[in-house]
Every structure is written in structure tokens, then in C-alpha cells.
Amino acid sequence: MTETIVKPFNLDFDLITGLSESKDTTKRPLSKMKGMYADELAFEAAVQNEDPLVYEFYELDLPQTPGDLLFGTSILYPGKVGDEYYMTKGHFHTILETGEVYYCLSGKGAMLMENPEGDWDIQYFSPGKAVYVPPRYAHRNINLGNEPLVTFFAFRADAGHDYGTIETKGYRKLVVERDGKPEVIDNPNWKE
Ligand code: NI
């Protein structure tokens, strides 16, 4: 087994673009969000039409050991499916007792959070604002503006990701546009 030795003083990471010498990039088109938007007809139409790029993130390829931190830049593009704003899938961490911090570099949006016990919260992003995701809370970025929502995030490197719970059950709440403004509503498709 090859041991990866990371020398933090050698890391070169651009906060805005996420670019560095050893970047790990993930790009997600809208089609990866099947079943997550309430308006399925609008979703299918958008995917058939052009399947736009909705989300991408850049992360350094750091070891996932308990003492390390994973960090990177997340970019969520503006748009809507029906009246629901573009969003990320949202996830719990495999180690549920994991906190995470997001710092907004540009754009306007929200972090929608919920825990397995049914509590939920929404915090808003604007440039220069940090949002703390407490342990146990699933978290999803939502773009409420007209430009890319760019955030920097950091969390314990061994936390892991659990996307499956949200993919199966959905989120308790949705954020939709009503009279030109964002409104939080109950998700009609949420499964207990
Ligand atoms: Ni996370």
C-alpha cells in the first residue's frame, strides 16, 4: 500500500476557482438530480432540452484520516426547475456527529439543514458570511440569486458522505419562488 504524504505548506489552492495542482473536480449536470425536484415534468423537460451543468466542486486530494480536514470550493449555478431553485443533492455525513463550515465567496443563496429527529433550519448566504452546519444535520446548498453561488467548505476528513438517505426519503422542506421571493414549504413527496 502506498502511503500518501501531504505537506500542507505545499498546498496551493485558489479559493475562488478551486484550482490547484492536485485538484479533484466533480461536475454534476441536472440529470443527476432525478427524483429530487417536486415538478417532475419541468425536470424532464429541462434534462431533455440541454441537461445544464448545475453543480461542481473542487477538492484537494487529501488523505481521509481523522486528524485531517477536507476542504474545497463548491459552485452552484443559478436557475430553477419549475418554481424550485437549483440546489445540491444534500447529504448527511457517514459519521453523523460531524460539523462543517461553509463560507460564501460570491452569490446569494441558502443552506437548508435537517436532522434525523426532524428538526430543520435554513441559513442564508451572502458574500463574506459563514454558515455552520452542526453535527447530525444533512445540508443542501440552494442558489437564490442570478449568479453562481460559490462557497468554501471544510470538515473532518474521515467523515464520509451519505447521499442515499436523502435520495431515498427526500428533504422535509423545499425552497420555492413565490411572488418573486424564496419561500420554504413542506415537501409533498417526503417519505417518513
Ligand atoms: Ni458535508
Side-chain angles (χ1 to χ4, degrees), residues 2-168:
T2 316
E3 195 177 340
T4 311
I5 298 170
V6 177
K7 297 176 177 168
F9 42 83
N10 284 343
L11 299 183
D12 178 19
F13 191 83
D14 187 308
L15 275 180
I16 306 296
T17 65
L19 296 176
S20 73
E21 278 187 14
S22 59
K23 68 177 187 296
D24 193 4
T25 310
T26 299
K27 292 179 189 291
R28 295 208 178 112
L30 186 62
S31 53
K32 297 278 186 197
M33 298 287 292
K34 191 166 174 55
M36 302 196 126
Y37 288 96
D39 189 338
E40 285 177 25
L41 287 178
F43 174 83
E44 290 300 337
V47 167
Q48 295 294 323
N49 189 28
E50 57 162 341
D51 195 15
L53 175 67
V54 170
Y55 172 64
E56 59 185 306
F57 69 87
Y58 299 87
E59 202 171 75
L60 282 174
D61 187 19
L62 291 171
Q64 299 188 10
T65 54
D68 279 298
L69 288 172
L70 289 188
F71 63 92
T73 306
S74 155
I75 304 170
L76 177 62
Y77 291 97
K80 286 199 296 280
V81 173
D83 57 7
E84 200 173 351
Y85 299 94
Y86 277 4
M87 59 191 181
T88 59
K89 277 189 176 183
H91 60 267
F92 289 96
H93 288 280
T94 311
I95 298 177
L96 197 55
E97 305 296 332
T98 296
E100 182 164 359
V101 66
Y102 281 75
Y103 179 78
C104 181
L105 296 164
S106 63
K108 191 180 153 208
M111 180 71 91
L112 186 61
M113 297 172 268
E114 64 176 47
N115 70 7
E117 289 71 40
D119 187 41
W120 68 275
D121 192 17
I122 186 166
Q123 295 287 329
Y124 293 91
F125 283 122
S126 55
K129 190 177 171 193
V131 168
Y132 181 59
V133 180
R136 303 185 72 77
Y137 281 76
H139 36 291
R140 159 181 282 175
N141 281 355
I142 300 167
N143 190 327
L144 302 176
N146 300 314
E147 56 178 295
L149 173 66
V150 184
T151 54
F152 173 83
F153 59 86
F155 61 99
R156 62 183 283 183
D158 62 337
H161 288 89
D162 164 18
Y163 291 101
T165 303
I166 299 296
E167 282 169 346
T168 308

